[in-house]
Amino acid sequence: MEQIIDIVLLAFMVVTAIAMIRLRNLFAVVMLSGIFSLLSAAMFVVLDAVDVAFTEAAVGAGISTVLMLGTLALTFRDERPATRADWPAMLVVTVTGAALIYGTLDMPRFGDPDAPIHQHVAPRYIVDSPREVGPPNMVTSVLASYRGYDTLGETTVIFTAGIGVMVLLGSVTRRRRRARPTTPATPAAPAPPEGRP
Amino acid sequence: MNHHSVLRTMTKLLMPPIMLFALYVQFHGDYGPGGGFQAGVIFAVAFILFALIFGPVRARRVAPAWVTTPLTAIGVLLYAGVGVVSLLLGGEFLNYDVLAHDPHHGQHLGILLVELGVGITVWAVMVSIFMAFVERGAAAHADGILDGTPDGTPDDREDGHA
Amino acid sequence: MLETVLGLYNYWIVIILMMAGFYTVIARGNLAKKVIGLNIFQTSMFLMYITMGAVESGTAPIVAEGATLYTNPLPSVLILTAIVVGVATTALGLALAVRIREAYGTLEEDDLRVLEDRQDTLRDTAATQDGEQPVSP
């Protein structure tokens, strides 16, 4: 049963992804990307990664959809039809994909308990974390305690990205630019095609 | 958006449960799925919902920039501070065993504080990012930058009136 | 044969999704669409990690009565943080797209290239004129 759900959900994801590539209306693409995130969240539940599913549902289907809609409000709703031939890209993608699929033939089969990934540190986390750290949720123990350095780094990345967005779009930059007189910095610089403030 | 009374009422009704659920996810992360990352995002969603319905001006009154901007850094500092404290108490950086008399209590306390730091940073960053986009949009409309666009997306979002 | 296909099905779908994202990034000229392509690519990577961590008839990695076989918690931890970092970096990319649109009035790569070329030539000619100006008076 789980296998059937797995197959169906993944097939849905492929269909959604292809629809996202083919559609030119970016509004529809963003809506589909929300669906795509939700499908992957369901997929994570099927694969027993509940914490990840939770995060994906909140972040992928919630915040990134809203952010992309915000971007569309500031840019354009439609993508221009392609002007150049896309067969070179198709060729590159097909060759890369074929090579990667050839590579998967050596991968351990799905759900195999003897796969190398389950042999190294995972038994330590599963067996010892309730005794060494305490919380019943192993993901929390690994996230905050065993791999605390990692998480500190990730939090710093989020902080940095947030600062970057604030610098790029923030009101500080705008106010300074508006206060300056409208004469361009270099007289020779060409006027932009439309609408620089 | 004065006439959308259903949306406005539902937002007011939904905000407290969303925030309560975020706090539950934050502090129950040790026992079930959840933790600082998810809680921060869910807490931010409550504010984003508010900003979508009531506009950026009122949203900024609820979460002003002087609150959200410093909090992005305070979360990271809280996280790193726990590490420094454990260093000063004689353990390694981010070794929570030394934070209390009993290693288990120490771990519990350490994880709680660290997750809180993560939650604060994620919340503040998500709200700041969203508000940056929305305020940019409002300013661009005021400047007439976006007049050339063939179609406006839900414009009343950026109006900022309640 | 069927066992191989079922055992590797998840990985193959992951690769198809990854290539779909890759194709969007290299073949589409619209910058917003490129960011969306990167998102598809990213999600496929998440799926790959979680697929590797899954264990047949295992349960979610939360200690429970009667459960002995748990899925691997490590991929969950890595991907959980990666999702939130992913949205933060996506926001950064979208912010760059917004600024590009404000500065150039377009998000299409081809137009941007033409505009950049034109600006470069204008700047070059302006620079040569500036260089001559001090000589003439």
Side-chain angles (χ1 to χ4, degrees), chain A residues 6-7 20-21 23 48 68 74 76 79-80 83 86 104 110-111 117-118 122 136 138 154 168 177 188 190 193, chain C residues 7 9-10 12 23-24 28 33 39 53 56 58 61 63 72 81 85 99 101 104-105 108-111 122 126:
Chain A
D6 179 293
I7 290 171
M20 278 161 75
I21 295 177
L23 280 175
D48 287 326
M68 283 181 194
L74 289 175
F76 306 98
E79 184 190 4
R80 177 131 36 83
T83 44
D86 67 344
T104 61
F110 170 62
I117 185 174
H118 304 307
M138 296 165 203
E154 309 265 21
L168 279 171
R177 276 191 4 201
Chain C
Y9 175 77
N10 279 35
W12 292 347
Y23 174 82
T24 317
R28 290 287 184 263
K33 192 87 177 251
N39 260 346
E56 188 97 312
V63 177
N72 196 333
T81 49
V85 170
R99 289 301 298 267
R101 184 253 181 269
Y104 292 93
E108 302 290 335
E109 211 179 30
D110 301 339
D111 295 359
L122 279 172

